[in-house]
């Protein structure tokens, strides 16, 4: 049983970042809705502290979520962030008021009073010797009167109470957001809270986790057989490697190739997981079936539905043949868990969840095995490396479930997919070959997603002495951390020139390459 921090969510878009920072400090934590009941808080074994998230709501509105009174009676340290601070102030007898000066973005905060939370943390000091923090603020309301027992911990010119503390009860609160990277001392502040103030020993690390997860899987499935749908993506590959480590040949993976994968992806999966790891993998080439169903369909949503439905059908037929299987394993990760919980309660911000094999356990009458449900994506990657998967596979850009199906505009044809795969592979190969002079990184690692898109229109070109009349591909490369907003990447012209030259010369059938300079919003990352 790990020591744990409970994060109560009041609807901020960045609540997940709090959890990631806490995990980075080596401490296990979970996010739950902000209005959990007392019994839930009492049931938290190993509870060492509570963090209250931000929100877009106003703490003093009647219908806003209140912090459960039990939080302040649980006998553990509490850290309030933004709305969490305002709720703490209001509920413990202070005052919060609407402010006509909305603060949004960069701010400099002066630390005051040498509290345990901020002691020694500073980005610079003023000429008078005051320690200053560079932080990110986003609030309209502010605390205007400290609750009894609290002292001032931080202030800015426009927000005199930007932090407060009751050190006797170990209650701390900040108006700024330590969880975002723009707050440079944010990780240090959160580590200070969980490791020193809450006294967590940092018992959450990957090598120990592997041993623990393996033991849990063995205990859970016993001698039963397990099936897993392999997609070639990071989550299902890591889940497969972990389960295989735990139960070896009791695991059978089913790899459905819908003909819309990237170049050589199927071979790579078979080579790495099949040959190298020795997993039992049933490889099904269902290209013709998928292409048949997609023929004549141009609507993006209709295409998505067909691909999802066929995938389930093919997988189900194969799984049905493995009559001893009692478990279906899935690579569900923690953000999926939080998002679907949020979507159910309507509280947390439900952004999107893509489940490619949703609904399968019911129809197959299988129990669900989800060994990654506690992990964030970066932890899944670390786990993959710890299990011996190649870093290039583990750190691959995300790839949508419907694959190239959403990167071929309109009707999908095998001929288009073949052209696109080759153009895409050239783009990725050239991105990996580069090195940025400032960061020393290559452009593949400097972008969150990069790919080619097939445009089913023909344009005129000239090659040698002849006229060509061929298709167009667009290159898309974006930088983002959350995929909810994204900027198009400012790739060097020389790189774009090289990529377009190679694609046009090497991929017969494409005679024009364009670069997509749209950000999200208003565009999306994928074209469909
Ligand atoms: P958009 O295009 O909405 O994409 O800006 C945001 C992120 O989601 C991925 N994406 C998908 N992933 N199934 C998936 O598994 C899908 O249907 C799907 N659609 C978009 C996209 O690649 C990007 O990372």
């Amino acid at each position: 049983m790990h020591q744990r921090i409970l994060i109560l969510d009041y609807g901020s878009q960045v609540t997940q970042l709090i959890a990631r920072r806490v995990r980075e400090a080596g401490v296990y934590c979970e996010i739950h809705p902000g209005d959990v009941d007392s019994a839930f808080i009492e049931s938290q074994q190993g509870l060492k502290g509570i963090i209250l998230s931000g929100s877009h709501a106003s703490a003093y509105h009647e219908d806003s979520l209140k912090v459960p009174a039990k939080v302040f009676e649980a006998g553990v340290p509490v850290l309030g962030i933004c709305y969490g601070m305002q709720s703490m102030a209001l509920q413990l007898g202070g005052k919060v008021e609407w402010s006509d000066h909305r603060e949004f973005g960069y701010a400099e905060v002066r630390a005051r009073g040498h509290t345990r939370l901020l002691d020694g943390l500073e980005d610079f000091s003023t000429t008078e010797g005051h320690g200053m923090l560079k932080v990110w603020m986003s609030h309209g309301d502010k605390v205007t009167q400290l609750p009894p027992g609290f002292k001032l911990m931080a202030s800015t010119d426009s927000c005199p109470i930007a932090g407060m503390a009751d050190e006797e009860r170990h209650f701390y609160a900040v108006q700024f957001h330590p969880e975002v990277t723009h707050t440079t001392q944010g990780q240090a502040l959160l580590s200070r809270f969980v490791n020193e103030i809450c006294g967590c020993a940092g018992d959450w690390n990957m090598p120990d986790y592997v041993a623990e997860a393996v033991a849990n899987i063995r205990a859970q499935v016993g001698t039963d057989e397990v099936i897993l749908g392999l997609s070639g993506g990071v989550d299902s590959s890591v889940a497969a490697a972990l389960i295989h480590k735990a139960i070896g040949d009791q695991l059978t993976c089913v790899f459905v190739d819908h003909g819309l994968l990237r170049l050589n992806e199927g071979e790579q999966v078979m080579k790495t997981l099949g040959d190298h790891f020795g997993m039992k993998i049933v490889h099904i080439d269902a290209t013709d079936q998928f292409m048949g169903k997609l023929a004549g369909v141009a609507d993006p949503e209709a295409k998505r539905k067909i691909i999802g439905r066929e995938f389930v059908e093919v997988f189900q037929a194969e799984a049905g043949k493995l009559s001893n299987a009692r478990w279906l394993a899935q690579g569900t990760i923690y953000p999926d868990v939080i998002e679907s919980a949020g979507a159910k309660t309507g509280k947390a911000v439900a952004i999107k969840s893509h489940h490619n094999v949703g609904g399968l356990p019911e129809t197959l009458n299988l129990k669900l095995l989800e060994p990654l449900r506690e992990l964030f994506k970066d932890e899944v990657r670390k786990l993959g490396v710890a299990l011996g998967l190649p870093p290039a596979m583990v750190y691959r850009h995300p790839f949508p479930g419907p694959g190239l199906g959403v990167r071929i505009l309109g009707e999908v044809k095998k001929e288009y997919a073949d052209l696109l795969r080759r153009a895409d592979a050239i783009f990725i190969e050239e991105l990996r070959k580069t090195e940025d002079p400032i960061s020393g990184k290559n452009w593949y690692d400097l972008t969150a997603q990069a790919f080619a898109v097939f445009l089913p229109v023909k344009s005129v070109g000239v090659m040698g002495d002849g006229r060509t009349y061929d298709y167009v591909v667009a290159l898309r490369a974006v930088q983002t951390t959350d995929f909810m907003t994204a900027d198009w990447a400012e790739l060097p012209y020389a790189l774009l020139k090289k990529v377009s030259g190679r694609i046009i010369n090497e991929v017969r059938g494409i005679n024009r390459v364009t670069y997509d300079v749209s950000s999200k919003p208003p565009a999306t990352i994928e074209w469909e």
Side-chain angles (χ1 to χ4, degrees), residues 425-455:
I426 290 171
F427 185 27
I428 299 301
E429 188 185 319
E430 290 299 332
L431 287 172
R432 284 196 188 275
K433 270 201 227 156
T434 53
E435 186 176 302
D436 179 61
I438 299 163
S439 64
K441 287 186 170 179
N442 67 51
W443 273 101
Y444 185 81
D445 292 332
L446 288 169
T447 49
Q449 228 171 344
F451 51 87
V453 180
F454 185 85
L455 314 188

Side-chain angles (χ1 to χ4, degrees), residues 380-450:
V380 170
R381 293 195 158 118
K382 281 187 200 152
L383 174 60
V385 172
L387 288 165
L389 289 172
M393 181 176 197
V394 165
Y395 284 93
R396 228 168 167 192
H397 288 168
F399 187 62
L404 302 184
V406 292
R407 294 179 180 172
I408 293 169
L409 303 195
E411 186 182 1
V412 175
K413 292 184 184 169
K414 183 163 182 309
E415 169 207 350
Y416 296 169
D418 289 338
L419 291 173
L420 177 58
R421 253 188 282 274
R422 290 171 54 210
D424 185 73
I426 290 171
F427 185 27
I428 299 301
E429 188 185 319
E430 290 299 332
L431 287 172
R432 284 196 188 275
K433 270 201 227 156
T434 53
E435 186 176 302
D436 179 61
I438 299 163
S439 64
K441 287 186 170 179
N442 67 51
W443 273 101
Y444 185 81
D445 292 332
L446 288 169
T447 49
Q449 228 171 344

Side-chain angles (χ1 to χ4, degrees), residues 456-503:
V457 286
K458 286 192 164 184
S459 78
V460 173
V462 52
M463 193 168 252
D465 293 332
R467 171 187 182 276
T468 57
Y469 186 53
D470 283 328
Y471 292 112
V472 184
V473 295
L475 305 176
R476 179 81 163 134
V478 295
Q479 291 177 309
T480 172
T481 47
D482 57 16
F483 294 89
M484 288 167 351
T485 62
D487 288 323
W488 59 274
E490 294 187 32
L491 298 182
Y493 284 165
L495 171 60
L496 290 170
K497 193 172 188 173
K498 178 111 191 265
V499 174
S500 90
R502 276 196 62 194
I503 292 176

Side-chain angles (χ1 to χ4, degrees), residues 304 352 354 356 398 400-402 407 449 483 520 524-526:
R304 266 202 167 75
K352 63 162 60 174
H354 303 290
N356 299 324
R407 294 179 180 172
Q449 228 171 344
F483 294 89
K520 174 184 180 177
T524 51
I525 296 173
E526 303 289 348

Side-chain angles (χ1 to χ4, degrees), residues 32 137 174 184 218 227 239 356 381 391 401 408 477-478 512 515 522:
H32 289 277
M137 291 267 206
V174 286
T184 35
R218 285 186 187 145
I227 348 174
N356 299 324
R381 293 195 158 118
I408 293 169
V478 295
R512 198 171 290 269
Y515 188 55

